[in-house]
Amino acid sequence: MTTTEQPAGPVLEIDDIHLYYGAIHALKGVSLTVNQGEIVTLIGANGAGKSSTLRAINGINRPRDGRIRFQGEDITHRSAHRIVKGGIAQSPEGRRLFPRMSVTENLEMGAFQRTDRANFAEDMERVFELFPRLKERRTQKAGTMSGGEQQMCAIGRALMARPKLLLLDEPSMGLAPIFVERIFETVVEVNKQGTPVLLVEQNALMALDVAGRGYVMETGRIALEGAASELKTNEQVRKTYLGEG
């Protein structure tokens, strides 16, 4: 998980994808890009299509139309396990840890597809450096920890895969403010170490504070896009997502 020099350019390109759940048209021509070294955020109301976009990227739901490219390769119809093995890891909404397994065992599950065991201990220690609280609780069952600690474990588990792109789905959901701040500080730190991040988040203000660029979703479409600093001053965004009149 050490910092490495990466070529500039897009790591993820989504081009006009359409996703259906039966007869429901969930994504209606979504296009977005994540470049190497970036934190990009995807914000929007519940049901706007944010999580559906992640499900298309990670292979859980395949688009009917459009293309998804990762590091220049078409992964639109690639299986979910091959996408993970190729370098995309996700910390899912709701954490979804193995509650009866220890923190260490949950972290180990993040590396189950890796063949390079030589760096395993180093990566585990790096997760513990990012989240010292996890080191204190490494033998504790994950299900007995607080929501904030579980979120740290879920992100740590994703990092154990040594991802080339990290997907974060609502990392601040249900957390106390002190944990929210710590989670976002860690997202910035992970990015500084060389991992691009696509962040789906309802806490629009925090998301736009840490991201370089953002996309605003409404009813399965990208309604706005631009620099995060510009979106924070956009009147529509301020009224709808930042709670300002």
Side-chain angles (χ1 to χ4, degrees):
M1 222 182 294
T2 52
T3 305
T4 53
E5 289 296 322
Q6 298 284 354
V11 63
L12 177 72
E13 300 166 276
I14 300 177
D15 183 23
D16 194 30
I17 61 169
H18 292 256
L19 182 69
Y20 291 79
Y21 299 121
I24 299 170
H25 195 175
L27 299 180
K28 306 167 185 174
V30 170
S31 297
L32 63 82
T33 302
V34 179
N35 293 310
Q36 194 59 249
E38 282 192 310
I39 299 176
V40 174
T41 188
L42 189 56
I43 62 175
N46 270 336
K50 307 186 301 297
S51 292
S52 291
T53 301
L54 294 189
R55 291 170 73 86
I57 296 167
N58 63 29
I60 293 175
N61 295 107
R62 293 179 181 175
R64 188 177 296 180
D65 298 297
R67 286 287 175 268
I68 301 173
R69 287 181 292 275
F70 175 60
Q71 295 187 317
E73 292 187 17
D74 190 331
I75 63 167
T76 314
H77 301 292
R78 193 171 289 181
S79 63
H81 77 274
R82 285 186 62 209
I83 289 172
V84 172
K85 196 168 186 178
I88 297 179
Q90 179 171 339
S91 176
E93 181 181 346
R95 275 86 77 177
R96 299 186 189 177
L97 298 175
F98 298 95
R100 297 184 180 182
M101 292 169 63
S102 70
V103 167
T104 298
E105 288 167 337
N106 270 275
L107 294 176
E108 288 172 347
M109 290 300 293
F112 78 99
Q113 290 211 75
R114 285 176 52 179
T115 56
D116 58 322
R117 308 304 292 180
N119 299 312
F120 187 86
E122 174 192 336
D123 291 344
M124 182 77 74
E125 191 54 40
R126 186 63 191 133
V127 170
F128 288 150
E129 286 177 17
L130 287 166
F131 298 114
R133 197 176 290 249
L134 293 183
K135 188 169 187 176
E136 296 169 7
R137 289 158 172 73
R138 58 188 180 274
T139 61
Q140 186 172 333
K141 289 184 178 180
T144 65
M145 297 195 299
S146 71
E149 291 162 347
Q150 289 186 31
Q151 185 61 67
M152 292 174 181
C153 191
I155 294 174
R157 179 179 60 186
L159 292 174
M160 286 298 295
R162 283 202 166 198
K164 298 167 187 172
L165 173 65
L166 178 62
L167 308 179
L168 297 176
D169 193 359
E170 304 285 6
S172 77
M173 182 178 286
L175 302 189
I178 188 170
F179 278 116
V180 172
E181 191 171 327
R182 182 71 190 106
I183 292 296
F184 279 104
E185 287 172 355
T186 305
V187 171
V188 171
E189 180 61 28
V190 166
N191 180 250
K192 283 179 179 176
Q193 293 173 7
T195 305
V197 178
L198 178 58
L199 169 64
V200 163
E201 182 56 64
Q202 277 195 297
N203 188 332
L205 184 59
M206 290 290 286
L208 292 171
D209 275 343
V210 301
R213 291 190 303 113
Y215 295 84
V216 179
M217 287 200 81
E218 291 179 3
T219 60
R221 294 184 172 88
I222 301 295
L224 290 168
E225 63 179 278
S229 57
E230 294 173 358
L231 291 176
K232 277 199 294 185
T233 60
N234 179 281
E235 185 177 355
Q236 180 184 344
V237 173
R238 293 173 76 90
K239 285 181 178 178
T240 308
Y241 303 105
L242 305 184
E244 298 183 11

